[in-house]
Amino acid sequence: MRVYVPLSLPRLAEAYKAGELGPAPLTAYAVTPALREWYLSDDIEELEYAALNRAALASLRLLAGESDAARRRVVVAVDVADRAAVADPDRGLDPAALGEVTVREVVPLGKAAAVHVDADDAETDVAAAAAALGAADHGDDDAQFVVDGAEDHELLWFATQEIPNLVGLGD
């Protein structure tokens, strides 16, 4: 099963140094039955893109709590055994938890398929979105508009070999 793990650049650096995504349990996003029902599509690529976007929003939430992290959303796409990722049936229909799964074990970074990161030019919008999240969560339409502005930026695809350069540890 492909899961999308939300991170920040400092958390990606930690994972790179440790050689793994952890500690378990990890919150990730995947194509779950609830996500399929919500998205109303049978196209697996569209569904995986929706799961990736859910993880990008979760990354934004991480950034809201990490004031010194670069304002770039980070999502690691990882393949795990189906039994390793479990959706909580009690949260399955909660709109805030669509696609959310719990990965019950540490995942070797070698299992990562790719890393998705905002481009440098997204930082201003991502910073504004992270700052507006609290107000958006409380129903402020203007704040929600700002949060949605971060979603206008597509995450870029990077091979896992590029992680050292992304986190400033490259040669």
Side-chain angles (χ1 to χ4, degrees):
M1 166 185 281
R2 171 75 43 100
V3 299
Y4 299 90
V5 181
L7 296 175
S8 61
L9 284 173
R11 290 177 189 228
L12 180 61
E14 290 172 15
Y16 177 73
K17 290 175 190 171
E20 63 189 23
L21 295 166
L26 295 166
T27 298
Y29 294 81
V31 178
T32 62
L35 184 73
R36 282 180 188 275
E37 185 176 323
W38 171 74
Y39 200 73
L40 298 174
S41 175
D42 290 329
D43 185 326
I44 191 65
E45 287 183 18
E46 286 182 18
L47 291 165
E48 286 186 354
Y49 184 72
L52 170 67
N53 284 328
R54 301 295 295 174
L57 178 58
S59 175
L60 185 65
R61 291 190 179 286
L62 291 174
L63 290 174
E66 295 179 18
S67 60
D68 53 344
R71 305 331 249 170
R72 294 170 70 191
R73 298 167 299 164
V74 178
V75 176
V76 179
V78 183
D79 294 316
V80 299
D82 287 349
R83 71 184 186 299
V86 180
D88 181 345
D90 294 332
R91 286 183 43 88
L93 297 178
D94 177 355
L98 285 171
E100 186 179 281
V101 295
T102 300
V103 179
R104 298 186 282 188
E105 54 196 43
V106 171
V107 179
L109 201 53
K111 291 200 177 240
V115 179
H116 302 272
V117 181
D118 276 310
D120 292 341
D121 68 355
E123 285 191 31
T124 300
D125 289 339
V126 170
L133 263 175
D137 287 346
H138 287 96
D140 183 322
D141 290 337
D142 292 333
Q144 185 62 52
F145 181 78
V146 173
V147 171
D148 292 344
E151 294 177 11
D152 291 342
H153 295 276
E154 293 288 329
L155 296 177
L156 303 177
W157 181 96
F158 293 91
T160 56
Q161 298 89 330
E162 296 177 88
I163 293 173
N165 292 330
L166 287 171
V167 298
L169 299 173
D171 296 334

